[in-house]
Amino acid sequence: MNTFSHIRCSFEGRILCMMRGLKFFCAGYICCLILLGGSTLAAEAPRIIELQVGLGKQCQLGYWTPVRVHVQAGEQDFSGHLELATADSDGLLTVYSGFSKGPIEIAIGEKKWLTGYVKFTHHGGLKIRLLEGDKVVTEADYPRSRLPKLIVSTNDRVIVIGAELDLKSALTRGEENPAVTHLPDFTTFPDRWYGLEGVRQILVTTSNPDYLKGLSESRFMALEQWLRLGGEIVICIGSRGAELLQAENYWNRLVSGRFQFVEQQWKTAGLEVYAGAEDPLELATDGAIAAQMTVLESVAGRTEVYDGVGDAGQRPMVVRRLFGFGQVVFVAVDLDLPPFVDWPAQSRLLRRISLGDEELASGDSKMARAKGISRFGYEDLSGQLRAALGQFEGVTLVRFYWIVGLLVFYIALIGPLDYLLLKKWNRLHWTWITFPSVVLGFSLLAVVMSASFKSKQVYVNQLDIVDFDVETSQLRGTTWVYILSPESRTYDLQVKPKPIDQLDDDQLACLCSWQGSPGKFLGGLNTPSVSASIQRHKG
């Protein structure tokens, strides 16, 4: 009996130990599954490797800015879209999406550059989201301190692609201080025309094939559309004219005239007079690398300078022609090669080519700007337009200085005036009546003013400007809309052009966005916000 009991107890003890061990094993197994499952889910999500904002690490306040995001897929294929978010000029979060026609496809482990476009202000930074359907799979926040320095909205912008020409020194005169951006090639060039908004001119050098690396059909189409809508480009084609001006080449679509040949020795007198140079250009005669000249025939446009002077100059060297609402300037030599790189008059030549007739009329334009008439407290047309559109017939808006004046009067009335008057009348105990009476009176005044001046309906002021190019039959329209809402709510705003003739969808495009006010006044784009200053100090 005792032996049986001992055996049974030993057996039950072993079973109990095995059960406890099994429990610990199951618990550990479940924990491992949870950890492995969590790491697997984390690995499956795509990740952001690199971020590039702006052109040449520069972006301008209130203008469309390209944002390039380098994404690597996880252990699953990514099929979704990119979404960017940043604050507008009023500090409200604005979400930008729809950068691709269909979903973005990235295979397992592969890397891909995604491009989106936003408008920056001094309010906050940038939020990036990768979505699959409506589900956010990856999200990253970049504070203002991690983004490039913002160029003020009123600055003139010029982009130099290829060789690093000193265009900054050439264009800087007195108050004129343009922002010049250098891109070594077309790798980071926008694939949408509005990615070049705010850029006045692009200068391209072509002497080295690497300068044109990254130029694709989508990027060249964006460049073409930007030109047709009012952009300017300077193209320097000298030694590589035979290659770049073939019928199937991109640049042949912009340059007018037919290619003839490349000239090794050309006359320099025309450019010397054009630049107002005191030192002559000396071409190399010992076989060293030097600028060669591309000779064209049947040139359309205005030839500003020939290779010689008078009857000696027969071949065009600088040709300026209209291209839609923009213009193309063809330069028949490479300005980044000798003898131009060491020529003392290179800066004057670059300025003359870049500005054209504006350089000759710079004195008159400065006088015209000095005599400009200001309206609604603004000196620029954009600010005047915004202020004029903010005037609604039959609506009286509460002015900021009204509020300040009433607030100052209220503080003075309940403080020193109340004390001095009651002390003069020897009735200081009356303050138990006068103080709440003043508070109640001003509260009623605020309610009455709010009810009287508040609009009861939505008001819309709109201005349309339409440009028509007779030569190309191209139409360009711009609409400014100012909306006054009686309450805070969300609206679905759409702009639908109504052309006279029936057009296909690919012939009609519309871009809608917010507009900020330039300048350093209260609410202006060039005025840093308090939150932006705090973020910079923290960074």
Side-chain angles (χ1 to χ4, degrees):
M1 186 69 179
N2 293 335
T3 303
F4 178 75
S5 299
H6 176 72
I7 293 173
R8 186 177 63 181
C9 291
S10 299
F11 180 74
E12 290 178 351
R14 291 178 181 178
I15 294 295
L16 184 61
C17 291
M18 291 176 63
M19 292 295 293
R20 289 177 179 174
L22 183 61
K23 288 181 180 179
F24 283 116
F25 174 77
C26 292
Y29 181 72
I30 292 173
C31 290
C32 290
L33 286 178
I34 293 174
L35 293 175
L36 290 175
S39 62
T40 302
L41 290 175
E44 289 175 354
R47 64 189 185 96
I48 298 174
I49 303 174
E50 186 181 354
L51 176 67
Q52 294 181 356
V53 178
L55 291 171
K57 297 182 179 180
Q58 287 187 349
C59 48
Q60 193 166 13
L61 284 164
Y63 288 97
W64 287 103
T65 302
V67 176
R68 302 181 74 237
V69 185
H70 201 190
V71 177
Q72 182 178 21
E75 296 183 1
Q76 288 185 350
D77 293 341
F78 172 74
S79 178
H81 62 276
L82 172 68
E83 189 176 88
L84 305 174
T86 185
D88 64 6
S89 59
D90 295 322
L92 301 176
L93 187 66
T94 305
V95 179
Y96 304 85
S97 60
F99 306 118
S100 58
K101 294 182 179 179
I104 300 169
E105 305 288 345
I106 307 178
I108 297 175
E110 288 189 357
K111 301 176 183 179
K112 189 174 184 179
W113 281 100
L114 309 180
T115 304
Y117 298 87
V118 300
K119 283 186 172 184
F120 283 107
T121 64
H122 282 298
H123 300 284
L126 175 67
K127 184 184 292 291
I128 302 175
R129 300 190 188 101
L130 296 176
L131 295 92
E132 290 183 343
D134 295 330
K135 179 184 177 183
V136 178
V137 294
T138 301
E139 186 173 8
D141 288 320
Y142 292 85
R144 174 71 261 155
S145 58
R146 294 185 60 184
L147 300 179
K149 182 180 178 181
L150 294 171
I151 304 171
V152 296
S153 58
T154 51
N155 254 32
D156 189 20
R157 288 181 67 196
V158 178
I159 296 177
V160 178
I161 302 177
E164 293 192 54
L165 297 176
D166 192 11
L167 197 59
K168 175 76 172 179
S169 300
L171 297 179
T172 301
R173 293 288 188 279
E175 297 180 357
E176 301 175 2
N177 187 24
V180 178
T181 303
H182 174 254
L183 300 179
D185 50 42
F186 284 85
T187 303
T188 60
F189 198 79
D191 58 358
R192 304 285 179 89
W193 68 267
Y194 50 86
L196 297 170
E197 187 189 23
V199 177
R200 179 183 66 84
Q201 188 179 78
I202 296 175
L203 190 150
V204 181
T205 58
T206 63
S207 60
N208 191 325
D210 292 339
Y211 295 161
L212 305 182
K213 184 175 65 175
L215 183 59
S216 60
E217 179 66 24
S218 61
R219 286 172 174 153
F220 196 84
M221 287 181 64
L223 175 63
E224 272 190 307
Q225 190 171 4
W226 172 75
L227 286 171
R228 294 186 186 279
L229 292 175
E232 300 178 13
I233 188 171
V234 177
I235 311 171
C236 302
I237 301 180
S239 58
R240 300 181 62 212
E243 173 189 352
L244 298 179
L245 297 181
Q246 295 179 6
E248 67 277 4
N249 197 283
Y250 292 134
W251 302 107
N252 192 54
R253 286 146 58 173
L254 299 182
V255 176
S256 65
R258 292 194 303 271
F259 171 78
Q260 285 189 299
F261 56 88
V262 174
E263 178 64 77
Q264 303 287 338
Q265 296 293 325
W266 43 274
K267 300 173 184 177
T268 62
L271 282 181
E272 292 168 358
V273 174
Y274 183 70
E278 298 178 357
D279 301 294
L281 276 167
E282 297 180 0
L283 298 180
T285 57
D286 55 356
I289 298 177
Q292 302 174 21
M293 176 182 175
T294 290
V295 180
L296 301 179
E297 64 176 358
S298 303
V299 174
R302 185 183 65 191
T303 301
E304 296 189 351
V305 59
Y306 292 90
D307 58 338
V309 179
D311 295 336
Q314 300 296 330
R315 299 177 297 191
M317 297 205 70
V318 178
V319 181
R320 193 180 302 267
R321 78 177 184 103
L322 297 178
F323 192 85
F325 296 104
Q327 65 176 349
V328 176
V329 182
F330 168 75
V331 181
V333 290
D334 297 314
L335 299 179
D336 58 312
L337 295 179
F340 296 103
V341 291
D342 299 323
W343 191 33
Q346 185 198 34
S347 181
R348 278 182 288 180
L349 176 62
L350 289 173
R351 181 176 177 85
R352 181 70 188 278
I353 291 174
S354 176
L355 299 180
D357 292 339
E358 296 180 23
E359 166 66 9
L360 300 177
S362 59
D364 297 336
S365 63
K366 290 179 181 178
M367 185 176 297
R369 286 196 298 268
K371 294 181 179 179
I373 300 175
S374 177
R375 293 287 186 269
F376 300 106
Y378 297 91
E379 296 181 356
D380 59 278
L381 289 177
S382 178
Q384 293 178 25
L385 173 63
R386 185 182 172 101
L389 288 175
Q391 309 298 315
F392 295 91
E393 185 177 356
V395 177
T396 303
L397 300 177
V398 178
R399 307 299 180 186
F400 177 72
Y401 55 85
W402 294 3
I403 305 298
V404 174
L406 288 174
L407 185 60
V408 171
F409 181 63
Y410 172 73
I411 294 174
L413 190 58
I414 64 174
L417 290 179
D418 182 68
Y419 173 76
L420 292 175
L421 289 175
L422 294 181
K423 184 179 180 181
K424 181 179 179 180
W425 297 333
N426 197 21
R427 296 290 189 273
L428 290 177
H429 58 281
W430 284 8
T431 189
W432 294 101
I433 300 175
T434 57
F435 181 80
S437 299
V438 171
V439 173
L440 180 60
F442 270 84
S443 299
L444 292 175
L445 178 62
V447 172
V448 171
M449 289 181 62
S450 176
S452 301
F453 295 123
K454 185 177 180 180
S455 61
K456 304 297 189 298
Q457 61 182 14
V458 177
Y459 288 86
V460 177
N461 279 344
Q462 179 176 331
L463 174 65
D464 300 314
I465 296 181
V466 179
D467 299 316
F468 181 74
D469 181 30
V470 178
E471 182 179 351
T472 61
S473 298
Q474 183 176 352
L475 192 67
R476 177 185 67 180
T478 306
T479 297
W480 289 269
V481 180
Y482 205 109
I483 301 174
L484 177 64
S485 174
E487 58 184 354
S488 298
R489 56 169 297 184
T490 302
Y491 294 93
D492 183 11
L493 180 63
Q494 295 182 353
V495 179
K496 295 183 178 180
K498 295 182 178 179
I500 299 176
D501 299 328
Q502 186 67 28
L503 298 176
D504 298 331
D505 292 339
D506 58 346
Q507 295 179 295
L508 189 64
C510 182
L511 181 66
C512 182
S513 69
W514 56 267
Q515 181 198 18
S517 296
K520 294 184 178 180
F521 54 87
L522 182 63
L525 286 173
N526 298 347
T527 304
S529 65
V530 176
S531 59
S533 300
I534 293 175
Q535 288 181 357
R536 283 199 297 270
H537 282 96
K538 286 183 178 180

